[in-house]
Amino acid sequence: MIAYLQGTIKHLYNDFCYIDVQGVGYRVFIPNSTRQKLVINNNAILYTYLNVREDAMLLYGFYSQEEYDLFQNLIAITGIGPKVALGVLSAVNTDDFRLAVSQQNAVLLTRIPGIGKKTAERMILELKDKIGVPGLAAATLKETGASV
C-alpha cells in the first residue's frame, strides 16, 4: 500500500493530478477540495488510497488526513465505491458532511450527485457512530472549562 506521496504537482485536471516523486509521475484522482489547495510546480503531500481492481490500479489522493479518513469510511459502506466517495468529498466539505450525518439530514445528502435516498439513509445509519460532530470536542471543552 502507498500511504502518501510527496512531490511536485506537475499537472492539474478536474478530477486528477500528476505528481512527480523523484522523477516518477503518478496519476492521482483527487476531490475538488484537494484540487483547490494544489498549485502546479509546488511541492505537496497527498495521503493515498490504492484501489486494485481486476482491470486497473487506481490511486486516490487527499490533501488532509481528515479527507482520507472520511473516504475510507465511505468506501466501507455497501454500494459506495471510490468514485462515489470521491464525488461526495468533491461536493461537500468534511465538516458539513459530518454535521449532515450527525443531524440525520438525508435531504442534504441526496443533493450530492450519485447519492439517492436509500444510499443517504445507509450512510447515516453506518456513519453516525463512526464520525464525530464537527466542533463537538471544542464545545465540550469550552463548557467544562478544560483546556487542550
Side-chain angles (χ1 to χ4, degrees), residues 14-72:
N14 285 338
D15 60 349
F16 66 92
C17 71
Y18 290 145
I19 184 170
D20 180 306
V21 180
Q22 296 184 353
V24 178
Y26 293 89
R27 180 181 187 178
V28 183
F29 291 92
I30 54 176
N32 189 43
S33 54
T34 292
R35 186 188 187 290
Q36 291 174 352
K37 295 173 184 157
L38 300 178
V39 178
I40 294 176
N41 293 324
N42 279 11
N43 287 330
I45 295 176
L46 295 176
Y47 299 94
T48 58
Y49 171 80
L50 178 62
N51 183 36
V52 179
R53 299 187 330 206
E54 192 174 298
D55 61 340
M57 290 178 25
L58 304 172
L59 199 56
Y60 294 86
F62 309 92
Y63 193 79
S64 71
Q65 185 70 43
E66 184 180 23
E67 285 181 328
Y68 173 81
D69 292 342
L70 182 53
F71 178 85
Q72 290 283 57

Side-chain angles (χ1 to χ4, degrees), residues 40-117:
I40 294 176
N41 293 324
N42 279 11
N43 287 330
I45 295 176
L46 295 176
Y47 299 94
T48 58
Y49 171 80
L50 178 62
N51 183 36
V52 179
R53 299 187 330 206
E54 192 174 298
D55 61 340
M57 290 178 25
L58 304 172
L59 199 56
Y60 294 86
F62 309 92
Y63 193 79
S64 71
Q65 185 70 43
E66 184 180 23
E67 285 181 328
Y68 173 81
D69 292 342
L70 182 53
F71 178 85
Q72 290 283 57
N73 282 321
L74 286 167
I75 62 173
I77 298 171
T78 303
I80 297 180
K83 286 186 180 182
V84 172
L86 201 66
V88 169
L89 291 171
S90 289
V92 64
N93 71 49
T94 56
D95 284 343
D96 289 345
F97 181 82
R98 289 168 49 208
L99 189 60
V101 169
S102 70
Q103 293 178 345
Q104 300 184 20
N105 188 344
V107 173
L108 176 71
L109 296 176
T110 57
R111 292 182 189 153
I112 299 171
I115 304 297
K117 183 179 178 185

Side-chain angles (χ1 to χ4, degrees), residues 102-137:
S102 70
Q103 293 178 345
Q104 300 184 20
N105 188 344
V107 173
L108 176 71
L109 296 176
T110 57
R111 292 182 189 153
I112 299 171
I115 304 297
K117 183 179 178 185
K118 287 183 181 180
T119 303
E121 291 170 350
R122 189 177 317 116
M123 286 191 312
I124 290 169
L125 179 67
E126 293 192 30
L127 294 178
K128 66 182 177 184
D129 296 330
K130 292 182 182 178
I131 59 176
V133 179
L136 182 62

